[in-house]
Amino acid sequence: MSQLVDPFGRKVEYLRLSVTDKCDFRCFYCIPKGFKDFTESESRLTLDEFVRVVRIFSTMGVDKVRITGGEPLVRPDIIEMVSGFSSLPAIKDLSMSTNASQLAGCAHELKMAGISRINVSLDSLRPDRFREITQGNLERVIEGLLAAREADIHPIKINMVVMRDRNLDEVGDIVDFCIEHGFTLRFIETMPVGAAGQRARDSYVSLDEVREKLAQRFEFEPCRMRGAGPAKYLRVKGERLKIGFITPMSQHFCDSCNRVRLSCEGTLYLCLGQQDKLELRPLLRQGMSDEEISQAIVAAIQRKPQKHEFNTSPDQVVRVMSMTGG
Ligand code: SAM
Ligand code: SF4
């Protein structure tokens, strides 16, 4: 039973953890070019601190946790962390968002440690373009995806941030790719989070336009998806492929928001698109009891903003996306 209900009657049942702000990629909409201001290791929460916070949340009705970043797989203790979270009895759904560049080497271990499903960023199927967008290596990502499928991680959801000048012409190809490999697909609109996200505003495409473009090649029917969150899903007729459309800009879904985000430094952000927060790290390191920390969290939830203001105040969120994990 959730004890975390905000002033708008929304239950908070979902915690997203940016376990590191570091990343082996540099997606142009996420981490600004030349960015060096990553957190120091002493200021990042330790494995034990993360597990403690998740345990405290799990006693207050949070049963769904996503590990994200930055790139979670660059954290050396990531497998122990997954085991720590999955051993908490109240956590029913433990997932990870990853760029998959290092997934080939650890997919099986992740599955054994308790990851049931993953989301993988994939913005292009063309190696040169992929490198231009992310500075990463497409081949390693594909190897990672195939290793995850081999390890029986299911579902594997592909996240594609659609950008007018960079990959809008590939939306059909990515549908074909997901049909071929049995992945789920989600399209995402670019959000003005941090300097990089704000610079990417010129590339913004409404997903209505993507749907219209795809309708020229594919026939869709409505479908339901368990745990769909903010994504609205359609199925490609005659195929198993489900496609989710995540539209924070063109059609926000704040009314049903059920989540808060913990940064790698232990800052609890109450909304992706606002600055409202609670600094948990000092509380953890000052020797506060679980009960006292729970009370601080309950009080913070009373300050959860009603909605983001990406459209009206796009310059508002200055923190880099990898701090809060998307
Ligand atoms: N490194 C992992 C990955 O790329 O999946 C996890 C962290 S990443 C910040 C999580 C998600 O946020 C990715 O799907 C990424 O494409 C998305 N993202 C990052 N910056 C964004 C932005 N400005 N607008 C929309 N989505 C963004
Ligand atoms: Fe790294 Fe993910 Fe951000 Fe890309 S979107 S830079 S992979 S954290």
Side-chain angles (χ1 to χ4, degrees):
M1 188 58 187
S2 180
Q3 298 161 26
L4 299 177
V5 181
D6 79 1
F8 307 99
R10 298 173 298 190
K11 279 186 193 164
V12 173
E13 295 161 325
Y14 182 14
L15 179 62
R16 295 175 68 109
L17 309 167
S18 172
V19 295
T20 175
D21 55 338
K22 291 194 163 172
C23 186
D24 49 353
F25 283 11
R26 289 287 180 278
C27 299
F28 93 100
Y29 48 73
C30 178
I31 299 182
K33 204 171 181 185
F35 183 78
K36 297 235 168 7
D37 209 9
F38 292 102
T39 54
E40 300 294 328
S41 61
E42 320 79 74
S43 61
R44 285 197 288 278
L45 295 194
T46 63
L47 163 66
D48 289 345
E49 286 169 335
F50 265 117
V51 174
R52 182 175 177 210
V53 175
V54 173
R55 182 167 46 72
I56 293 172
F57 269 97
S58 77
T59 62
M60 292 190 287
V62 166
D63 59 3
K64 187 171 170 179
V65 171
R66 174 170 297 274
I67 303 168
T68 172
E71 175 46 44
L73 298 183
V74 305
R75 222 182 129 123
D77 53 4
I78 192 67
I79 301 292
E80 291 93 318
M81 197 180 280
V82 171
S83 299
F85 299 152
S86 68
S87 64
L88 298 169
I91 300 302
K92 303 282 181 260
D93 181 7
L94 179 61
S95 60
M96 180 179 282
S97 292
T98 170
N99 64 27
S101 71
Q102 303 191 28
L103 192 55
C106 64
H108 188 69
E109 271 181 292
L110 278 178
K111 170 80 181 180
M112 290 292 108
I115 285 292
S116 46
R117 58 199 189 84
I118 55 170
N119 290 0
V120 174
S121 289
L122 183 61
D123 294 337
S124 175
L125 294 167
R126 303 184 195 172
D128 49 343
R129 214 186 239 194
F130 185 84
R131 187 169 286 286
E132 213 171 281
I133 297 171
T134 67
Q135 308 292 312
N137 181 324
L138 177 63
E139 205 177 317
R140 289 181 56 196
V141 171
I142 304 289
E143 281 166 17
L145 277 167
L146 298 180
R149 201 178 55 178
E150 193 63 35
D152 212 16
I153 294 178
H154 183 82
I156 296 172
K157 293 183 186 167
I158 301 295
N159 281 346
M160 181 186 197
V161 176
V162 186
M163 295 161 279
R164 179 171 308 287
D165 47 347
R166 302 202 180 223
N167 61 4
L168 179 59
D169 56 347
E170 280 192 69
V171 291
D173 295 347
I174 206 123
V175 169
D176 289 332
F177 174 82
C178 290
I179 290 175
E180 180 189 342
H181 292 286
F183 302 140
T184 300
L185 173 59
R186 288 139 38 107
F187 293 114
I188 305 177
E189 292 176 342
T190 48
M191 288 175 273
V193 174
Q198 284 155 10
R199 214 168 301 136
R201 281 173 69 204
D202 292 346
S203 305
Y204 169 77
V205 188
S206 153
L207 292 188
D208 281 343
E209 185 176 332
V210 172
R211 218 176 349 239
E212 280 163 24
K213 192 171 167 65
L214 289 172
Q216 294 167 9
R217 262 189 69 188
F218 303 95
E219 205 176 331
F220 292 116
E221 55 192 12
C223 72
R224 292 170 72 86
M225 179 86 175
R226 209 159 58 92
K232 291 210 181 81
Y233 276 87
L234 293 176
R235 186 199 298 275
V236 176
K237 212 165 183 180
E239 302 286 350
R240 287 177 58 201
L241 176 67
K242 291 177 180 172
I243 306 180
F245 294 82
I246 305 183
T247 56
M249 304 300 291
S250 63
Q251 239 186 323
H252 77 74
F253 31 80
C254 302
D255 289 350
S256 57
C257 184
N258 64 349
R259 62 200 61 192
V260 288
R261 295 171 164 87
L262 186 67
S263 82
C264 55
E265 294 188 299
T267 305
L268 186 70
Y269 286 103
L270 303 168
C271 169
L272 180 63
Q274 301 279 5
Q275 306 285 35
D276 307 69
K277 62 189 175 184
L278 166 68
E279 298 293 356
L280 275 174
R281 189 184 64 200
L283 310 189
L284 293 164
R285 293 188 182 172
Q286 279 160 15
M288 276 200 170
S289 68
D290 289 1
E291 183 53 35
E292 287 167 318
I293 291 177
S294 303
Q295 284 168 10
I297 294 170
V298 169
I301 296 297
Q302 298 315 304
R303 295 187 283 113
K304 186 168 162 58
Q306 186 173 17
K307 56 184 179 6
H308 70 66
E309 291 163 326
F310 287 143
N311 289 307
T312 49
S313 306
D315 300 327
Q316 187 160 303
V317 179
V318 292
R319 61 184 179 267
V320 176
M321 182 66 110
S322 64
M323 279 301 287
T324 34

